[in-house]
Amino acid sequence: MTFSFRSALMASSALALAAAPVFAQTDYSATYGIDEDVPGACSYASIDAKDYSGRTLNVITHAIPVIGEPTALHAKQFGELTGATVNVVHVPFGDLFQRIMIPFQTRQQAYDVLFFASLWLGDFNPYLAAVPEEMQQVPGMQDVTETYRGVANWNDQMLLYTMDGDRHYLKYRTDIFENSEMQAKFKEETGKDLAVPVTWDDYAEISKVFSGWDWDGDGQPNFGTAEVTKRDDLMFSAFISRVAAYAKHPDVGGGFFFDLESMEPLINTPGWVRGLEQFVAAQDSMPPGGTNFGLGDEIFSFGGGQSLMSYSWDDAFIQAMQEDSPIRNKVAAAELPGAREVWNRETGQWDSFDEPNRPAYVTWGWSSAVAKGSEDQDMAFDFLCFFSDEANTNADLQVGRFGVNPYRESHFDANFYQDKLGWEPAVAQTYVDTLRGIDASPNRVFDLRIPGVGEFMSSLAAGVARAQAGEATPQEALDGVAKEWTAIVDRIGADTIRGAYANVVALEDAR
Amino acid sequence: MYRQKYLFLLPGLIALTAIILFPLIFTIRVSFSGWDVYNPGLSWAGVKNYVRLFEDTRYWSALSRLSLLAISTVLIQYVLGFALALMVWKDVHARRFFRVLFLVPMMTTPVIMSVIWRTIFHESLGPLNPLLDAIVLGGQPWLSSPGWAFAAVMIVEIWQWTPFMFLLLLAGLLSLPSEPYLAAKIDGAGPVRTFFSVTFPGLAAISVGALLIRLIEASKILDTVYVLTSGGPGEATETASYYIYIRGLRDFQIGYSAALSITYLVIMIVALTIIAKLMVRFLVKGQS
């Protein structure tokens, strides 16, 4: 009896072991909430096969939920699969840069894995480990678009492990633009047909007409535009979105922020000044308090149905498309508006265009990296590989608050958003078309990824804020910024800045 | 003869040096360095940071804005705190309840309350403007107009820290002897005369202490500004401590922000010493 019981036990154990991969693969989706494991070097099965018991990984990331929540989730999963201890430190955004930089500069090996804004690469690059060649060859990484692979590179080395894709684009209310009453009202007021704005002048005109009255019938006044205007709250990105149309000439290379050769700031040239004039004038079409809107306010103003149009990252669009949103499936995405007159800094004149100049602005984007000083680089890269594994990313893309946005070719598939998120086909199509268009745009602006970017952008935001508050004219404000930028360049060194800025210009001039 | 007594003081002195003097000396050393995002470490930059500081008009504007904010809010806190303390000093109904209620704002976390206040002041979504509209006062651009934004920061500061004044002044009132009041009553003094001749002089010393403590605290205001306005609109609510924070932790100009901090510290020590001496002369010695 004993013998037969033992035999039966051994037989069942052997059967269980033999069948383990099959059960495990099935279990991953049930246990971890993914649709299905995607085979590959970063898959659940591959990571599960690794044993990191007794080893510890220290990770620094943003506060929950944006990026912080998926970090915590995938860290827990990674620990369960490999046996590693993964410590995750969540830091508010305002504190993140210095919490990463101080250990780097003081040669303390505080963190193995770092999640941060990709524009800080100009500062962090000396301290980061290059992504191993084999990691660059995994299918998930090969599927990353050329744009975001470019963002991950520094001096021909891949230093960032891509896990997010960000850009600015226009969002608008289709139910209003397609409403015959609204079209008639706009025609009556302006003599023009109501159409999705292709220039910032159009945007201003539409915003003005649709401001201060209740056009959606909810009893509350509505407004034309919601924008990020709060100083020190990513307002600089909104401003650059507006400026690019006037200052990023499609036929003039060699720098958008600086002249790469002389390293003189271009920030106070006429294209930039006109962008600021428009930004200041737009305040009249913003909701009450709109001149002090942070990103969160902009998201809720457009996503909550208060404003007709908006432009920034995906968040406001995703908010508008939440299941409980009053404007779900009543929105669409489009390229940023442009300009028919563009400043040519080579000739010192305004050039006219029949088709508006509409540069794409590839801005921000969370990214990840491994510290050069980490003694656990193998495990750290495995973690990042797992974090951005196709199965995980497909799940993360479906949770708006996670802040993970499309960055792979396969993410530009309208069916995904229809099937998984229940978007209407037209909405999903404008979304993927817009993102794909930005990726393919021949005229693009990237963030100023150079040492001291925080200081440059802080100075820019302060100058723009002065103009917005009426403390200075747009020209005076930007002259002040240019003076500060020159001082920063002198302090850090023109050659150092030029060397770094060449990476940005290379991306911009690549097409 | 008793030289060995100094040996017993040594551990305390060492601890004091390590806790107070070392960070201060280190900050002074950092202020003479060019430590920034690109040049880490204690390179010697001479007095460059201090020269730059004297040309930095934004810093001096922030400092004068801070002075206005600190002095005005602390004075209002003092007046309100005194009034509230007088209110619950004597026998009033539910006195204990009010005493606890008045202390609640001080016990809340400043950064959280700033977030709450930001929601209250929100011009589109907040409850304040609809309330003002309802009572015919009309909504205001609380956070988007320079003057109103400054007022909004003041309101939050006053709301949060009036209880501190209340607490100290109430403690002072409760410790006052009853004989002078009896004498005043016999002399036929009314409530106003009694307040200015008995109560106020009796609380002069404690008033000076409370005002000084609050001035020191108010001059460090950062979290309210950070959450409520980020120093804007324009530079309307940018205070010196917020500006130092921007330069140090956002721009990562460690050397320069250390120079700003040291200068700020010196200015504060000098200003508060003068203020303290003046207050003692006019309030305490004047009364005695």
Side-chain angles (χ1 to χ4, degrees):
Chain A
M1 183 76 181
T2 309
F3 177 76
S4 63
F5 175 73
R6 186 181 290 168
S7 302
L9 191 66
M10 285 174 69
S12 61
S13 300
L15 190 66
L17 282 170
V22 178
F23 286 135
Q25 195 164 3
T26 313
D27 280 345
Y28 294 135
S29 55
T31 312
Y32 295 111
I34 53 171
D35 286 342
E36 58 177 349
D37 196 17
V38 179
C42 311
S43 68
Y44 276 76
S46 299
I47 295 299
D48 200 2
K50 301 192 183 230
D51 182 10
Y52 290 132
S53 305
R55 293 175 67 181
T56 302
L57 200 60
N58 292 310
V59 180
I60 184 166
T61 187
H62 187 233
I64 286 172
V66 177
I67 302 301
E69 195 169 341
T71 309
L73 173 68
H74 300 316
K76 182 171 174 283
Q77 294 166 340
F78 187 79
E80 286 171 3
L81 292 168
T82 64
T85 302
V86 187
N87 301 320
V88 180
V89 175
H90 295 274
V91 179
F93 182 74
D95 223 14
L96 190 57
F97 181 87
Q98 55 104 3
R99 286 286 294 272
I100 295 175
M101 194 55 156
I102 288 175
F104 276 158
Q105 289 197 339
T106 53
R107 295 188 179 84
Q108 295 167 354
Q109 185 42 53
Y111 307 106
D112 302 291
V113 175
L114 318 124
F115 288 85
F116 55 87
S118 60
L119 82 165
W120 295 339
L121 182 59
D123 295 307
F124 291 161
N125 68 83
Y127 310 102
L128 303 179
V131 177
E133 189 57 34
E134 63 271 22
M135 290 276 179
Q136 295 186 38
Q137 300 307 321
V138 300
M141 189 62 88
Q142 288 292 306
D143 194 27
V144 172
T145 70
E146 183 202 333
T147 300
Y148 295 103
R149 284 179 70 83
V151 168
N153 278 288
W154 187 261
N155 289 338
D156 299 325
Q157 266 199 316
M158 189 174 196
L159 296 182
L160 299 180
Y161 204 105
T162 311
M163 39 63 68
D164 178 37
D166 276 356
R167 71 291 281 169
H168 269 196
Y169 58 88
L170 171 71
K171 300 122 200 176
Y172 62 95
R173 291 280 296 273
T174 48
D175 59 328
I176 303 302
F177 275 84
E178 291 165 5
N179 181 309
S180 55
E181 272 182 46
M182 299 300 157
Q183 290 168 348
K185 180 171 174 64
F186 186 74
K187 182 94 175 177
E188 187 188 320
E189 300 248 346
T190 65
K192 296 176 185 172
D193 291 329
L194 179 61
V196 180
V198 294
T199 67
W200 285 109
D201 287 332
D202 298 339
Y203 188 94
E205 194 168 34
I206 296 167
S207 301
K208 197 174 168 189
V209 171
F210 287 93
S211 278
W213 56 283
D214 178 18
W215 38 252
D216 62 359
D218 67 353
Q220 298 293 321
N222 295 94
F223 298 88
T225 177
E227 307 180 29
V228 181
T229 50
K230 190 179 180 188
R231 207 190 83 177
D232 304 335
D233 197 349
L234 304 175
M235 172 259 264
F236 67 84
S237 280
F239 173 57
I240 291 168
S241 271
R242 279 183 167 273
V243 161
Y246 300 100
K248 180 69 173 68
H249 197 292
D251 305 322
V252 178
F256 169 68
F257 296 97
F258 290 96
D259 179 324
L260 185 62
E261 279 185 25
S262 65
M263 285 314 292
E264 275 186 26
L266 301 171
I267 199 90
N268 56 344
T269 52
W272 283 81
V273 175
R274 188 169 292 182
L276 182 50
E277 285 166 354
Q278 291 259 7
F279 199 27
V280 172
Q283 294 182 116
D284 294 339
S285 304
M286 293 175 187
T291 53
N292 192 44
F293 268 11
L295 181 60
D297 300 306
E298 182 254 356
I299 292 168
F300 286 105
S301 179
F302 179 78
Q306 184 188 36
S307 301
L308 179 68
M309 297 181 290
S310 173
Y311 63 92
S312 70
W313 294 273
D314 286 76
D315 314 76
F317 192 85
I318 302 296
Q319 177 70 27
M321 291 300 292
Q322 294 292 311
E323 284 191 7
D324 57 350
S325 165
I327 57 170
R328 182 171 163 86
N329 287 317
K330 293 177 183 171
V331 295
E335 286 174 72
L336 286 172
R340 292 185 199 281
E341 275 199 324
V342 184
W343 179 252
N344 185 331
R345 66 182 175 85
E346 283 183 349
T347 62
Q349 288 182 328
W350 289 96
D351 288 346
S352 296
F353 291 79
D354 292 334
E355 278 298 311
N357 176 46
R358 301 174 78 170
Y361 180 28
V362 180
T363 175
W364 204 257
W366 286 94
S367 203
S368 58
V370 171
K372 197 188 266 180
S374 168
E375 291 176 357
D376 295 290
Q377 289 188 16
D378 56 337
M379 182 167 55
F381 277 114
D382 273 341
F383 171 64
L384 291 180
C385 185
F386 173 70
F387 183 104
S388 54
D389 164 58
E390 289 92 322
N392 279 338
T393 306
N394 287 346
D396 293 348
L397 282 172
Q398 297 175 45
V399 187
R401 68 177 185 277
F402 277 13
V404 176
N405 301 127
Y407 61 92
R408 288 188 172 124
E409 297 287 355
S410 56
H411 295 164
F412 302 148
D413 175 10
N415 293 325
F416 175 83
Y417 304 95
Q418 292 171 48
D419 298 342
K420 303 292 182 193
L421 298 172
W423 294 8
E424 283 187 2
V427 179
Q429 200 60 51
T430 67
Y431 180 67
V432 297
D433 286 351
T434 301
L435 302 197
R436 201 195 305 271
I438 292 167
D439 230 61
S441 174
N443 191 16
R444 299 182 299 176
V445 170
F446 288 82
D447 283 321
L448 184 64
R449 304 190 312 155
I450 57 176
V453 61
E455 197 179 343
F456 283 108
M457 290 302 119
S458 164
S459 161
L460 177 61
V464 172
R466 289 189 66 217
Q468 283 179 315
E471 293 172 7
T473 66
Q475 184 71 61
E476 287 167 354
L478 292 180
D479 284 346
V481 177
K483 197 176 161 195
E484 282 192 30
W485 279 29
T486 304
I488 301 168
V489 170
D490 289 345
R491 203 175 66 245
I492 295 178
D495 289 338
T496 304
I497 300 278
R498 184 186 291 109
Y501 188 48
N503 283 287
V504 183
V505 175
L507 285 173
E508 288 175 352
D509 293 354
R511 294 172 181 168
Chain B
M1 189 176 174
Y2 296 109
R3 277 183 192 165
Q4 59 269 42
K5 69 183 177 186
Y6 295 111
L7 280 176
F8 292 99
L9 287 174
L10 204 56
L13 284 172
I14 290 171
L16 192 71
T17 307
I19 293 167
I20 296 176
L21 288 183
F22 174 73
L24 189 62
I25 292 167
F26 185 71
T27 308
I28 292 169
R29 172 64 188 91
V30 172
S31 75
F32 288 101
S33 77
W35 190 345
D36 65 14
V37 73
Y38 192 72
N39 302 296
L42 298 174
S43 59
W44 181 254
V47 292
K48 262 187 190 171
N49 287 330
Y50 287 94
V51 172
R52 182 180 162 200
L53 179 157
F54 280 103
E55 295 165 352
D56 190 344
T57 51
R58 196 169 148 192
Y59 173 64
W60 297 109
S61 303
L63 201 60
S64 48
R65 201 173 294 118
L66 172 73
S67 309
L68 175 64
L69 184 73
I71 291 171
S72 55
T73 54
V74 169
L75 283 178
I76 295 171
Q77 286 162 21
Y78 178 72
V79 172
L80 289 177
F82 214 141
L84 291 174
L86 286 172
M87 208 174 95
V88 297
W89 174 35
K90 295 292 168 72
D91 286 334
V92 290
H93 191 61
R95 185 176 57 182
R96 284 189 179 166
F97 169 75
F98 283 115
R99 283 181 185 176
V100 174
L101 183 71
F102 291 153
L103 290 176
V104 167
M106 193 178 73
M107 292 188 278
T108 58
T109 313
V111 73
I112 300 297
M113 286 322 298
S114 298
V115 173
I116 302 285
W117 273 102
R118 182 162 187 262
T119 310
I120 292 170
F121 285 130
H122 201 290
E123 292 155 45
S124 295
L125 309 170
L128 183 57
N129 274 353
L131 198 69
L132 292 174
D133 282 334
I135 56 173
V136 208
L137 285 174
Q140 300 300 336
W142 289 105
L143 301 176
S144 54
S145 140
W148 284 106
F150 194 82
V153 174
M154 281 183 68
I155 288 169
V156 177
E157 272 292 285
I158 291 165
W159 176 85
Q160 181 122 44
W161 294 112
T162 296
F164 178 82
M165 289 291 190
F166 162 77
L167 189 67
L168 287 195
L169 294 169
L170 180 64
L173 285 171
L174 292 172
S175 66
L176 288 177
S178 58
E179 292 80 4
Y181 289 94
L182 195 59
K185 202 171 183 182
I186 291 166
D187 288 345
V192 176
R193 180 71 190 271
T194 305
F195 173 78
F196 283 108
S197 300
V198 181
T199 310
F200 189 71
L203 288 182
I206 206 163
S207 293
V208 170
L211 285 166
L212 272 179
I213 293 170
R214 273 307 304 143
L215 274 174
I216 291 168
E217 284 298 314
S219 66
K220 293 187 288 190
I221 180 173
L222 171 69
D223 30 23
T224 309
V225 172
Y226 175 79
V227 175
L228 218 53
T229 61
S230 290
E235 294 168 5
T237 55
E238 189 170 82
T239 59
S241 46
Y242 184 70
Y243 180 67
I244 294 170
Y245 160 76
I246 292 281
R247 288 299 190 209
L249 298 185
R250 284 280 179 91
D251 300 357
F252 213 76
Q253 296 180 59
I254 306 292
Y256 183 54
S257 64
L260 290 171
S261 301
I262 294 296
T263 311
Y264 172 76
L265 180 68
V266 170
I267 291 170
M268 280 300 137
I269 289 171
V270 171
L272 289 170
T273 306
I274 293 169
I275 290 170
K277 282 198 178 294
L278 288 174
M279 282 199 295
V280 169
R281 174 178 292 178
F282 290 111
L283 291 179
V284 183
K285 286 185 182 168
Q287 298 296 345
S288 62

